[in-house]
Amino acid sequence: MEIKIIIDGETPQKEHILMSDEPIKFVDAMEQLGLSFYRPCGGIGKCLSCNIQFLYGAPQMTSADEKALDFSDMRAGWRVGCKCVITKDCKIQVPASLAGEITSVLADEVAEDEALDKSNIGIAVDVGTTTLATAIIDLSTGKILRQRNCTNSQAKFGADVMSRVKAAMDGHGEDLKNCIRKDLTDLGNKILGEDFLMHKVVFCGNTVMTHLLLGYTVDGLAQYPFIPYTLDSVSFVEKGRNIFFMPSISAFVGGDIVSGLFYLAMQAKKNNKAQDKFLLVDLGTNAELVLFDGDNYWCSSASAGPALEGASLSCGVASVRGAINHLSINKGKCTYTTIGGEQPIGICGSGIIDLVHELHRNKIIDDGGLLLDEYSESGYPVADGVSITGEDIQQVLLAKSAVHSAIQLLVQEAGLTMEDIDHLYVAGGLGASASVWSAADIGLIPRELASKYESVGNTALLGGIEYILNGDEDILNEIKEKSKVVILNDNPGFEKLFLENLMLN
């Protein structure tokens, strides 16, 4: 049978054709064609949001289709992609929001124009749940020669770490490890070719990602009390290369955070600000937070959910081309910008933060996030085919309350006040793109810290680069030894703060 797949908005428009002699899952067809397919729940049929349209040759409707779609949509050829099995000749249209590559923050001062000396290089790698980020460093000059990112192909096993843990426990541990290794090999060959001499490689990532890459068991991370196989740094020599994995602090405060703290510590040392108090926030499905009080590191992880990354929302998309990333509402008119200046396909995290702020400022939602009656059923329209619903807004309020409450609790546990904090460092892509004043207005961050807000980019990758050039394991050990983990769910004050911070006032 002949399977034709087209991607919405792909320029020039192209038919991707696969021939198959037997029934094949849609996700397998996409993989064989080398196309990415974003499934927020990892294809377990929980979110029911990865819907595709058969222009002809639609398969029989499934129970997942009946749960997710109206009958009229199913008759028009719509199916839940992750549960779809192709059995005959067909043509499928895939929304751009499910097939785009995610954009990421790049480091400053990359010497892309300089010749690449392949004889003496080091590579820093941030193994993210969604994105793999790499930087190539000239060990002689210390310059960053190239930086490239790619989507973590483990995403086919789930968009979050717990989906990956489940997949590993179901017997896919080797597959998960090989996914990242192949991604990195392909990325390296694309940048460097095959004839290069790599002396140092520094990896960092959350605890689950590094365990999977190293082939360690993740069974202990599947349930409380969440015990990792190891939290120590790992180093070894392979084919003449010095390989180093950053240590972790806890099951949910991983080597990516330690790497970021190492980078901030080295920068503070260079600038004679080693005693400055700061709060580091890395926003994501599990927002990781560290408060440095001048001596100790108070660490925690808040379950913010995927709303701030654009996932799980009816209007949400990841930071792909065509995602609405900023907007404003004035005199009833909504204006916006999109990534790449393309037609809007949905709203990513920074756009969601702006939108909730603007809806509240214009009194289209009240302090509890309820929409005006005229929008209560259909949602507030942002662009053609893109609307935000009351349920979407409530998910954002849950996420922002979790982050804000975690910040307040860490400050209390450290015996400080908001005024004592010298810097609010926000890491990652959302930190670089979100409006600080929108974030403060909706209560994602405390207003007292808005003027101290500093976007610091991918601190995990920057820490890996710093360690390649100025490796000092004593500083890493000091960070670990002086870290105090605050478990939010064990603290009776967290629930009270969480309920108080749900409001937008």
Side-chain angles (χ1 to χ4, degrees), residues 106-224:
L106 300 178
D108 295 330
E109 301 177 2
V110 179
E112 288 279 354
D113 297 331
E114 293 200 11
L116 195 60
D117 178 1
K118 298 182 181 182
S119 63
N120 192 28
I121 61 173
I123 298 182
V125 183
D126 172 23
V127 185
T129 311
T130 304
T131 305
L132 305 179
T134 61
I136 297 172
I137 300 98
D138 186 319
L139 297 178
S140 301
T141 65
K143 288 184 177 180
I144 305 171
L145 298 178
R146 302 288 187 272
Q147 184 176 344
R148 297 289 187 275
N149 301 331
C150 71
T151 300
N152 185 339
S153 63
Q154 285 183 346
K156 63 188 176 187
F157 293 100
D160 59 85
V161 291
M162 296 313 292
S163 298
R164 312 277 173 89
V165 168
K166 182 179 184 304
M169 293 177 66
D170 288 344
H172 295 290
E174 195 69 18
D175 297 330
L176 287 156
K177 179 174 71 174
N178 290 336
C179 276
I180 298 183
R181 292 192 172 190
K182 184 178 185 303
D183 289 338
L184 294 174
T185 299
D186 291 347
L187 203 56
N189 290 340
K190 190 182 297 183
I191 305 168
L192 299 166
E194 298 182 3
D195 56 333
F196 61 90
L197 184 59
M198 180 170 55
H199 293 289
K200 289 185 180 179
V201 188
V202 172
F203 288 95
C204 66
N206 65 54
T207 309
V208 171
M209 288 296 101
T210 51
H211 272 52
L212 292 174
L213 181 52
L214 286 163
Y216 292 161
T217 178
V218 292
D219 292 19
L221 296 169
Q223 59 188 1
Y224 187 84

Side-chain angles (χ1 to χ4, degrees), residues 8 19 25 34 43 66 91 134 147 152 200 212 263 272 290 306 312-313 321 384 393 396 403 431 448 486 488-489 499:
D8 268 354
M19 305 302 295
K25 293 179 181 178
E66 292 171 356
K91 186 173 183 178
T134 61
Q147 184 176 344
N152 185 339
K200 289 185 180 179
L212 292 174
Y263 170 73
N272 296 316
V290 181
S312 80
L313 306 182
R321 295 179 71 85
D384 288 343
I393 293 166
V396 175
V403 175
E448 303 96 310
V486 177
L488 300 180
N489 291 339
L499 293 173

Side-chain angles (χ1 to χ4, degrees), residues 435-455:
S435 162
V436 57
W437 301 111
S438 293
D441 180 76
I442 71 170
L444 177 61
I445 61 171
R447 288 181 186 274
E448 303 96 310
L449 298 182
S451 62
K452 303 172 182 181
Y453 185 106
E454 298 177 45
S455 172

Side-chain angles (χ1 to χ4, degrees), residues 142-431:
K143 288 184 177 180
I144 305 171
L145 298 178
R146 302 288 187 272
Q147 184 176 344
R148 297 289 187 275
N149 301 331
C150 71
T151 300
N152 185 339
S153 63
Q154 285 183 346
K156 63 188 176 187
F157 293 100
D160 59 85
V161 291
M162 296 313 292
S163 298
R164 312 277 173 89
V165 168
K166 182 179 184 304
M169 293 177 66
D170 288 344
H172 295 290
E174 195 69 18
D175 297 330
L176 287 156
K177 179 174 71 174
N178 290 336
C179 276
I180 298 183
R181 292 192 172 190
K182 184 178 185 303
D183 289 338
L184 294 174
T185 299
D186 291 347
L187 203 56
N189 290 340
K190 190 182 297 183
I191 305 168
L192 299 166
E194 298 182 3
D195 56 333
F196 61 90
L197 184 59
M198 180 170 55
H199 293 289
K200 289 185 180 179
V201 188
V202 172
F203 288 95
C204 66
N206 65 54
T207 309
V208 171
M209 288 296 101
T210 51
H211 272 52
L212 292 174
L213 181 52
L214 286 163
Y216 292 161
T217 178
V218 292
D219 292 19
L221 296 169
Q223 59 188 1
Y224 187 84
F226 304 109
I227 300 173
Y229 178 81
T230 184
L231 293 173
D232 295 335
S233 60
V234 177
S235 58
F236 53 91
V237 177
E238 183 179 278
K239 297 180 180 178
R241 303 164 182 167
N242 292 307
I243 312 292
F244 183 82
F245 281 77
M246 289 283 184
S248 297
I249 291 171
S250 73
F252 294 107
V253 182
D256 49 351
I257 296 299
V258 173
S259 185
L261 292 173
F262 177 77
Y263 170 73
L264 294 175
M266 294 298 284
Q267 293 302 303
K269 189 175 179 181
K270 292 173 187 176
N271 298 316
N272 296 316
K273 293 184 177 180
Q275 294 306 306
D276 279 12
K277 300 174 179 63
F278 66 79
L279 178 67
L280 171 64
V281 180
D282 193 345
L283 293 172
T285 301
N286 279 304
E288 291 149 325
L289 308 97
V290 181
L291 174 62
F292 178 62
D293 64 6
D295 186 28
N296 295 308
Y297 296 89
W298 300 80
C299 311
S300 194
S301 175
S303 182
L308 295 177
E309 295 183 314
S312 80
L313 306 182
S314 65
C315 61
V317 293
S319 296
V320 297
R321 295 179 71 85
I324 294 173
N325 57 350
H326 288 294
L327 59 81
S328 63
I329 301 172
N330 290 294
K331 297 181 179 179
K333 183 180 179 182
C334 184
T335 57
Y336 53 79
T337 61
T338 65
I339 296 175
E342 299 189 4
Q343 288 297 310
I345 60 172
I347 314 175
C348 65
S350 58
I352 291 291
I353 292 170
D354 275 355
L355 179 53
V356 173
H357 160 65
E358 289 293 303
L359 291 173
H360 188 236
R361 185 177 69 84
N362 285 273
K363 296 182 170 53
I364 299 169
I365 58 175
D366 62 16
D367 289 347
L370 295 177
L371 283 160
L372 293 175
D373 289 344
E374 62 184 291
Y375 304 118
S376 60
E377 291 189 12
S378 58
Y380 179 83
V382 177
D384 288 343
V386 181
S387 299
I388 188 168
T389 67
E391 185 178 345
D392 294 335
I393 293 166
Q394 293 306 313
Q395 288 196 54
V396 175
L397 298 193
L398 291 170
K400 70 96 179 178
S401 182
V403 175
H404 190 122
S405 303
I407 291 173
Q408 285 182 301
L409 194 63
L410 282 184
V411 171
Q412 289 177 13
E413 289 290 311
L416 300 177
T417 65
M418 297 294 175
E419 289 71 25
D420 293 326
I421 297 172
D422 299 303
H423 310 278
L424 169 60
Y425 296 127
V426 183
L430 185 56

